[in-house]
Amino acid sequence: QLQLVEFGGGSVQPGGSLRLSCVASGSISSLSVMGWYRQAPGKQRELVAAFTSADTTNYADFARGRFTISRNNAGNTVYLQMNSLKPEDMAVYSCNVLNYYINITYWGKGALVTVSS
């Protein structure tokens, strides 16, 4: 049973920055990919950024150039650096891990990010 916990949510002014962390309890299979999603009120959950099985990265159009996904060497922590934040970035940001070998997805509870002046 893999458990994920997000840290670093909070309130920031437009143009500001925030760094989210996702810490996994237990090891993550090498046959897994990690990513960040978000869900704003009244909207569907959408991809923000994710690693691929080839260890490349995918970014949503709104995130490319502003957000950066990374991970630690141990592979148990995933980060999302968010710069130049806009009010439309306000959402609950959730970390996920997909074990594509057994087709199981794990989700964190989410971290609230608000952007207001």
Side-chain angles (χ1 to χ4, degrees):
Q1 181 82 313
L2 184 67
Q3 293 185 329
L4 307 172
V5 181
E6 298 94 344
F7 300 93
S11 181
V12 65
Q13 294 183 342
S17 298
L18 211 58
R19 192 191 196 200
L20 303 180
S21 302
C22 172
V23 180
S25 62
S27 62
I28 300 176
S29 169
S30 61
L31 301 176
S32 300
V33 291
M34 301 166 285
W36 289 93
Y37 291 72
R38 74 182 187 184
Q39 186 170 23
K43 299 183 66 176
Q44 295 292 311
R45 184 162 58 191
E46 61 183 345
L47 171 73
V48 178
F51 288 102
T52 72
S53 60
D55 206 26
T56 60
T57 52
N58 287 331
Y59 289 93
D61 287 342
F62 66 79
R64 189 173 296 107
R66 295 193 299 132
F67 297 177
T68 303
I69 187 171
S70 61
R71 63 189 176 203
N72 66 348
N73 290 334
N76 67 331
T77 305
V78 184
Y79 307 96
L80 183 69
Q81 177 68 44
M82 301 183 290
N83 299 325
S84 302
L85 284 162
K86 308 171 182 179
E88 51 262 44
D89 293 319
M90 288 189 292
V92 174
Y93 287 73
S94 300
C95 171
N96 95 315
V97 172
L98 167 64
N99 185 317
Y100 52 83
Y101 186 69
I102 59 176
N103 195 28
I104 292 181
T105 301
Y106 304 89
W107 292 95
K109 293 171 59 178
L112 177 63
V113 173
T114 61
V115 185
S116 62
S117 58

